[in-house]
Amino acid sequence: PVMSDTKKLFDAAHGNLAASGGAISDTALSAARLALRSQKGLDGKTPLDIAAKFLVAPAALETTAEKYLATIYPAQASNVNPFAGRLTLVVDPRLDATSATRWYVAADPNLVPSIEYAYLSGQEGVQVETRSGFEVDGIQIRARLDFGAGALDFRGIYASPGA
């Protein structure tokens, strides 16, 4: 989506898009984490110090992502996994339809709301209606969920086109 500043949600000018695609790696995750930490407030000066909480990946990258988030007990300090216990993996197979290599890092939505979903006024949650049958014995049940989603702010989410 296009934001109020006429730039796309993920844009190099926003500082939330990797300059070049890269597979999930220590280097790429470090760059993503630094990009979130370096985001500035509305004045363009105040650092927001946004902490990364989620690694969002398509199903095709699930195993790779798990490797980079796994807790290991290395014999040498140079083999420590700096991301173990720091990021929570979120896998969504619907992302594969767009790109099987693109991945994201996001902040806690309770601290930095980037994407919001909302229900139709007065229609919060699933709306269930029932009707008793007259022609046949039985009950007809209908369920409906009316909601929408939209991007609020680019600062709490980062994208990498992948490799």
Side-chain angles (χ1 to χ4, degrees), residues 12-95:
H14 287 158
N16 69 347
L17 179 63
S20 62
I24 297 173
S25 66
D26 285 351
T27 303
L29 286 171
S30 293
R33 188 163 59 173
L34 177 61
L36 286 181
R37 291 268 189 208
S38 302
Q39 288 291 342
K40 303 284 191 265
L42 294 177
D43 62 3
K45 298 176 185 175
T46 307
L48 296 178
D49 191 26
I50 298 170
K53 182 170 183 174
F54 299 102
L55 173 58
V56 183
L61 294 178
E62 183 171 7
T63 302
T64 302
E66 286 175 334
K67 287 179 183 179
Y68 278 94
L69 300 182
T71 301
I72 59 171
Y73 301 97
Q76 298 176 347
S78 61
N79 294 333
V80 169
N81 180 359
F83 301 101
R86 303 267 184 205
L87 298 173
T88 301
L89 179 60
V90 177
V91 177
D92 191 334
R94 293 172 288 197
L95 293 174

Side-chain angles (χ1 to χ4, degrees), residues 58-60 92-101:
D92 191 334
R94 293 172 288 197
L95 293 174
D96 290 270
T98 304
S99 172
T101 60

Side-chain angles (χ1 to χ4, degrees), residues 110-128:
N110 293 318
L111 300 176
V112 184
S114 297
I115 299 173
E116 178 182 52
Y117 71 91
Y119 296 108
L120 187 62
S121 181
Q123 304 292 315
E124 291 80 10
V126 178
Q127 303 299 307
V128 179

